[in-house]
Amino acid sequence: MSHLHTSWQSFIRKTIFVFGIIAPSLYAQIENVHSNEAVSNLFVEAFAFASEQPGKGRIDIYVQVPYLVINFVKEEEQYIGRFEITAAVLSQEKQQLWQKSQLVELHLKDFSQTISNSSFSLKQFSTDITPGKYDLLLQVTDKESKKVETSKQSIIVKDFWNDTLALSDVMMVRRVSIDGTRKNIIPNLTGMIGKELNNFYLFFEIWNRAQLDLVQLICKFINSKQEVVAQRIKSELLTGNRTQIVWQIDTLSINPDKYLLLIEAMGKFKADSGKSFHASVSRPCIVRIKNIPLIITDIDKAIEQLQYIAQGDEISFIRKAETPYEKQKRFIEFWSKRNLASKALNNELMEEYYSRVEYANKNFACYMEGWRTDRGMVFIRYGPPQNIDRHPFDSDNKPYEIWYYYDQNREFIFIDETGFGDYRLRYPETDLWGRIR
């Protein structure tokens, strides 16, 4: 894989793309953050809570924009990045009920910060709304490239005011600190938990109109077979109608995989043993093995996408692992053998490779996924070309593109035979494995 160059980082930095997810909130201080975890996409989560207004719920929306996907321009001695976030809530009848925009301007001193995959801007929006089902629309506009990306997700706001005992949405927390009586949190919007972590945190609220003094909380991790593979239990004293919970979950001895995280609350009056109350909330999460980039959410798909760098027997060996943990372990070992910086905490080659896969999927998809197309194949294998000569509207020719790799003395010609963006490699006449096309 000698052709994977660091020029990829500066190239991918000039694009902005969105990766949507869903979830809830806290009265929190939000700031620009540096994290030890690599972040390679924009993440969005929406969380529903009880409002201070009777009969209403509150939606808290968090948007995480990595520096890596922002276009920075040098102005004097600083690098400036500008983008606008617009969030809107629509009814099921497509009527806009709320909208808010925020212009974000970042000032960085060092160029290395602009391409860092571990720094991001985190912004929060909040609005009160009547209980019901809604659509959240999010738009991110990069002011330099003018590129606009949108995401859409459904939100359900419970009728907290008619429930005697209810739980808000549950938030996974990256970091929490206490400043007097104020809780400051940094949410984990990826839905991923590192298997090697000693602990992690959950945040949610208990809405207690039943006036209970104490509840028992149960946290369950449920696999795809509907089996409870891990469980944590604690008792919690309640403080009035609303109690905020920050729950530290200790080390999980479960295999890396996708799980449903279920929180249950149970309580009853001491004086009336026959009257009990129950509430629950759930959300998806992923337990992942260390050193797998966050951009990889489906390990089987990631193994399939190795075909441009791995031999068939290498891919087969990884696929035949008997457990999800063993499969991910073999996957990591494959990349560790090719790590250009063997002492680095992150495998930069793997991160770069799958960033190219992601870019190909975003930009070259037609009748198939972008990584499977001819342009995707070349882009993943050789990286961004030094120059592209595009001819989409020549009257005497079908649309075509010529990609030039001057430093490698290569060029590739792609022709769109159908006129629907399906560019096929026509020169050279052999593919990357030397087979005649």
Side-chain angles (χ1 to χ4, degrees), residues 49-108:
F49 294 84
S51 170
E52 298 291 341
Q53 299 183 37
K56 293 289 188 75
R58 188 183 83 246
I59 301 173
D60 287 356
I61 304 160
Y62 290 88
V63 185
Q64 179 174 303
V65 184
Y67 290 178
L68 186 64
V69 299
I70 302 168
N71 286 266
F72 286 88
V73 177
K74 188 173 184 181
E75 297 182 6
E76 296 181 349
E77 299 301 319
Q78 296 187 35
Y79 294 90
I80 312 297
R82 299 180 181 91
F83 60 95
E84 184 176 47
I85 304 172
T86 300
V89 175
L90 277 62
S91 69
Q92 293 298 287
E93 293 74 33
K94 309 305 179 186
Q95 179 184 1
Q96 183 172 296
L97 306 176
W98 171 86
Q99 177 178 309
K100 189 171 184 179
S101 297
Q102 183 174 2
L103 181 63
V104 182
E105 185 169 302
L106 301 172
H107 295 252
L108 305 179

Side-chain angles (χ1 to χ4, degrees), residues 292-359:
I292 290 184
L294 296 184
I295 201 171
I296 297 176
T297 57
D298 185 333
I299 188 66
D300 292 318
K301 176 67 72 174
I303 294 168
E304 184 181 4
Q305 290 164 341
L306 287 174
Q307 68 180 53
Y308 300 136
I309 188 176
Q311 300 294 323
D313 56 348
E314 292 177 303
I315 295 176
S316 178
F317 173 74
I318 300 173
R319 281 176 173 162
K320 289 180 179 179
E322 294 183 357
T323 66
Y325 178 78
E326 180 62 25
K327 183 182 294 183
Q328 293 191 38
K329 184 172 179 289
R330 292 182 182 185
F331 180 78
I332 289 294
E333 288 173 351
F334 169 87
W335 281 104
S336 295
K337 294 176 182 178
R338 291 158 176 79
N339 193 4
L340 300 178
S342 59
K343 295 183 179 180
L345 293 177
N346 297 323
N347 191 315
E348 295 181 0
L349 188 67
M350 175 168 55
E351 291 180 357
E352 185 171 314
Y353 185 84
Y354 285 102
S355 292
R356 292 183 183 182
V357 170
E358 179 74 3
Y359 184 87

Side-chain angles (χ1 to χ4, degrees), residues 374 377-378 412-414 423-428 430 437:
D374 286 358
M377 172 184 65
V378 171
F412 298 90
I413 299 176
F414 305 92
Y423 283 84
R424 299 295 181 93
L425 182 63
R426 289 295 176 259
Y427 177 84
T430 59
R437 299 185 61 82

Side-chain angles (χ1 to χ4, degrees), residues 137-179:
L137 300 183
L138 186 89
Q139 178 175 290
V140 177
T141 305
D142 187 86
K143 292 300 184 179
E144 177 65 21
S145 68
K146 309 302 181 184
K147 187 166 184 180
V148 177
E149 297 289 347
T150 60
S151 71
K152 178 182 178 181
Q153 54 192 242
S154 296
I155 310 170
I156 297 177
V157 180
K158 297 179 183 177
D159 190 354
F160 292 96
W161 287 86
N162 281 331
D163 285 336
T164 51
L165 182 68
L167 300 179
S168 73
D169 288 335
V170 59
M171 173 190 291
M172 299 173 65
V173 178
R174 183 187 301 275
R175 187 166 69 248
V176 61
S177 62
I178 307 296
D179 182 10

